[in-house]
Amino acid sequence: MTTSYLFLFSLSLISLISSSVALTKPHTPKPNNAFILPIAKDPITLQYSTTINMGTPAVTLDLVVDIRERFLWFECDESYNSSTYHPIQCGTKKCKQSKGAECIDCINHPLKTGCTNHTCGVQPFNPFGEFYVSGDIGEDIISSLRGTLSNVNVPRVISSCIYPNKFGVQGFLQGLAKGKKGILGLARTFISLPTQLATRYKLDRKFTLCLPSTSNSDGLGLGSLFIGGGPYHLPSQKIDASKFLEYTPLITNRHSTGPIFDNLPSTEYFIKVKSIKVDNNIINFNNSLLSIRKKLGIGGTKLSTVIPHTKLHTLIYKSLLNAFVKKAEIRKIKRVKEVAPFGACFDSRTIGKSVTGPNVPTIDFVLKGGVEWRFYGANSMVKVGRNVLCLGFVDGGNEEVGPWDTSIVIGGHQLEDNLLEFDLVSSKLGFSSSLLLNKASCSHFKGF
Ligand SMILES: *[C@@H]1O[C@H](CO)[C@@H](O)[C@H](O)[C@H]1NC(C)=O
Ligand SMILES: *[C@@H]1O[C@H](CO)[C@@H](O)[C@H](O)[C@H]1NC(C)=O
Ligand SMILES: *[C@@H]1O[C@H](CO)[C@@H](O)[C@H](O)[C@H]1NC(C)=O
């Protein structure tokens, strides 16, 4: 009780300070979105990342946001020597809740923060290199440089730290954007940060992404990750963007889909796409690809923040490409030589402009619940050079060898400037479609 009171109090303090109002006496604060973290986009890798502080003294961690990963992990070297760190011992309740897989000792290094004996071990996964190692789990205090976390210290947050070279593994950060120290995992697990914070502060078990389409580093290009629910205030408008949300159920895939395979249901976020339209016409392909096959967990549709462009099973991809090219032709859009990995590119001088980006055929995902997620030019087209725009969906192949073969994986470019609320209590996804329609975006949230 005391903690949550203090916590709310510090939130009201922040808002008062940030609006430059002198603080005379504390007002009774109203619970707001509990936590907001900034999201930046790396211009080279197109990865999205956030920044937190960890430990005492604090180290600053830039972490790539991955909704598929199960927990927060980071590489911790000598600079992480924290007096508030508590290793989680193997065999404990917290170790079980964290799905600890093994018991780790600190070998070939002196004991230090993140390298202790008899410690609960998990398997942090690098989604770019597609490999994992063993990592200790421990608890430590987190705070943030920017965002509302800045004045709120959250003690005893569980994460995993990988001591470089502990297992002779070098370069575990391979593939992560320059300067990034690990991954902020947001999958549906007990120890993902949203669930830990929601449990601790009795917040809604929800997190909401607003991924930026720009990558300015001057503070203008930041999107946000809200943890704990709305309202979601967009800078250009005085209104709460949750009113733009429509909802579709989050589907449970009863089969593990990685990164670590076990006998448990997938912790990833699946939705049900029922059909796909291009300029309002349903396209044809073998529709059984859109269902998750009960026995194997193959098929269906999930979301990813670490692949830059939506991947489609070859049959879906070909159908979409053909339909899009035909509709583009009707609009007198000139096709030019394609640029890998894309299959259809166009002369942008033959494409009009609109508030939602290049004026191209619309692509709709018709979803369970009778709602449609529309992708306009800003989300469907990728600029690859002067005067060249390509359809930003890629061929995901047609191999069906295991449960990692999801037919549609919706990637970052298609998620940008969309507000996406992952509601883990009601198990539904709220999506806004392009905020540009409402003259808003995810690229200049205030408050950082
Ligand atoms: C870690 O910090 C403690 C003081 O908090 C200090 O005594 C110790 O030497 C430090 N260890 C390393 C490896 O820097
Ligand atoms: C930690 O474990 C290693 C390997 O099992 C062992 O060599 C070392 O003595 C242990 N250290 C302590 C302080 O128990
Ligand atoms: C559609 O795909 C499913 C699963 O891949 C397959 O079993 C079925 O035979 C296909 N149907 C047709 C008409 O190709």
Side-chain angles (χ1 to χ4, degrees):
M1 212 46 228
T2 320
T3 351
S4 59
Y5 175 74
L6 282 177
F7 158 67
L8 292 171
F9 174 68
S10 17
L11 283 187
S12 82
L13 206 67
I14 294 163
S15 55
L16 285 174
I17 290 168
S18 61
S19 49
S20 315
V21 176
L23 180 69
T24 47
K25 60 176 184 183
H27 297 267
T28 309
K30 221 180 151 293
N32 213 308
N33 348 78
F35 296 94
I36 309 177
L37 294 168
I39 296 199
K41 179 179 173 182
D42 181 72
I44 297 160
T45 59
L46 311 179
Q47 292 165 16
Y48 308 97
S49 63
T50 192
T51 303
I52 60 161
N53 277 354
M54 173 84 72
T56 314
V59 291
T60 299
L61 300 174
D62 280 347
L63 304 170
V64 174
V65 174
D66 182 359
I67 59 171
R68 186 187 191 201
E69 179 60 308
R70 302 138 293 152
F71 44 78
L72 189 170
W73 63 256
F74 61 104
E75 190 179 75
C76 51
D77 55 17
E78 279 80 4
S79 63
Y80 183 54
N81 177 18
S82 174
S83 61
T84 42
Y85 179 83
H86 304 271
I88 290 176
Q89 303 263 297
C90 38
T92 57
K93 186 176 164 207
K94 281 182 177 164
C95 182
K96 289 198 187 82
Q97 289 173 332
S98 309
K99 304 226 183 308
E102 58 202 322
C103 200
I104 301 180
D105 278 350
C106 189
I107 32 181
N108 66 33
H109 270 281
L111 299 186
K112 70 171 282 293
T113 309
C115 197
T116 50
N117 277 1
H118 202 60
T119 312
C120 184
V122 291
Q123 296 166 314
F125 183 77
N126 177 326
F128 307 105
E130 299 196 336
F131 55 87
Y132 58 85
V133 293
S134 295
D136 290 32
I137 53 172
E139 296 173 300
D140 209 343
I141 194 164
I142 68 167
S143 54
S144 178
L145 289 180
R146 295 167 290 186
T148 54
L149 270 177
S150 58
N151 286 17
V152 186
N153 293 329
V154 186
R156 291 197 168 240
V157 173
I158 297 173
S159 68
S160 175
C161 117
I162 304 158
Y163 190 48
N165 206 18
K166 182 165 71 174
F167 301 97
V169 173
Q170 293 280 10
F172 190 63
L173 300 178
Q174 178 197 318
L176 274 67
K178 194 159 177 267
K180 307 297 174 258
K181 285 284 194 239
I183 299 272
L184 177 68
L186 298 173
R188 204 195 301 231
T189 64
F190 192 80
I191 58 165
S192 78
L193 188 60
T195 298
Q196 288 193 63
L197 294 180
T199 308
R200 184 83 49 92
Y201 297 106
K202 304 206 169 22
L203 307 169
D204 290 344
R205 208 149 54 81
K206 287 180 184 173
F207 70 90
T208 305
L209 283 172
C210 204
L211 299 178
S213 54
T214 52
S215 50
N216 308 342
S217 48
D218 56 12
L220 277 181
L222 292 175
S224 10
L225 165 62
F226 299 90
I227 296 178
Y232 310 114
H233 288 294
L234 305 173
S236 46
Q237 300 182 321
K238 290 263 180 310
I239 49 164
D240 172 7
S242 52
K243 75 173 219 177
F244 301 135
L245 297 177
E246 295 190 281
Y247 295 91
T248 190
L250 285 168
I251 305 287
T252 306
N253 186 338
R254 302 197 179 285
H255 293 266
S256 171
T257 52
I260 306 297
F261 292 92
D262 50 30
N263 291 322
L264 300 167
S266 173
T267 53
E268 297 192 80
Y269 299 106
F270 283 80
I271 56 174
K272 172 77 190 200
V273 172
K274 293 170 72 180
S275 61
I276 297 176
K277 293 179 182 172
V278 174
D279 262 353
N280 296 314
N281 294 312
I282 291 183
I283 62 169
N284 284 319
F285 54 84
N286 183 342
N287 248 49
S288 67
L289 292 169
L290 296 178
S291 303
I292 297 169
R293 284 200 261 151
K294 290 234 159 52
K295 283 215 180 106
L296 299 162
I298 297 177
T301 303
K302 68 184 180 187
L303 285 79
S304 165
T305 51
V306 299
I307 64 161
H309 307 104
T310 297
K311 270 203 262 194
L312 304 169
H313 184 285
T314 299
L315 294 178
I316 306 176
Y317 175 75
K318 282 187 176 152
S319 179
L320 176 73
L321 195 80
N322 290 338
F324 192 90
V325 165
K326 274 192 198 128
K327 294 289 184 187
E329 220 170 83
I330 295 170
R331 291 173 185 235
K332 307 238 179 320
I333 295 173
K334 185 170 167 247
R335 194 164 174 191
V336 297
K337 193 175 177 330
E338 62 262 27
V339 179
F342 305 113
C345 298
F346 305 90
D347 183 338
S348 58
R349 290 168 299 186
T350 63
I351 301 177
K353 290 193 175 69
S354 73
V355 286
T356 49
N359 195 356
V360 294
T362 54
I363 297 173
D364 298 327
F365 283 5
V366 181
L367 305 174
K368 187 170 178 175
V371 288
E372 295 188 0
W373 185 348
R374 174 160 282 191
F375 300 99
Y376 295 94
N379 291 109
S380 62
M381 305 306 285
V382 176
K383 187 172 182 188
V384 298
R386 228 177 103 91
N387 302 332
V388 182
L389 283 173
C390 299
L391 178 63
F393 290 72
V394 298
D395 187 346
N398 58 0
E399 302 266 320
E400 286 198 354
V401 283
W404 49 92
D405 294 306
T406 302
S407 301
I408 302 179
V409 187
I410 305 178
H413 189 69
Q414 278 69 41
L415 303 178
E416 289 174 355
D417 290 328
N418 280 242
L419 191 70
L420 297 167
E421 181 186 74
F422 296 78
D423 181 337
L424 309 181
V425 179
S426 311
S427 200
K428 60 185 186 182
L429 174 74
F431 63 96
S432 64
S433 291
S434 180
L435 290 171
L436 303 177
L437 265 185
N438 297 293
K439 298 195 175 56
S441 79
C442 294
S443 293
H444 20 65
F445 266 90
K446 279 183 189 153
F448 301 123

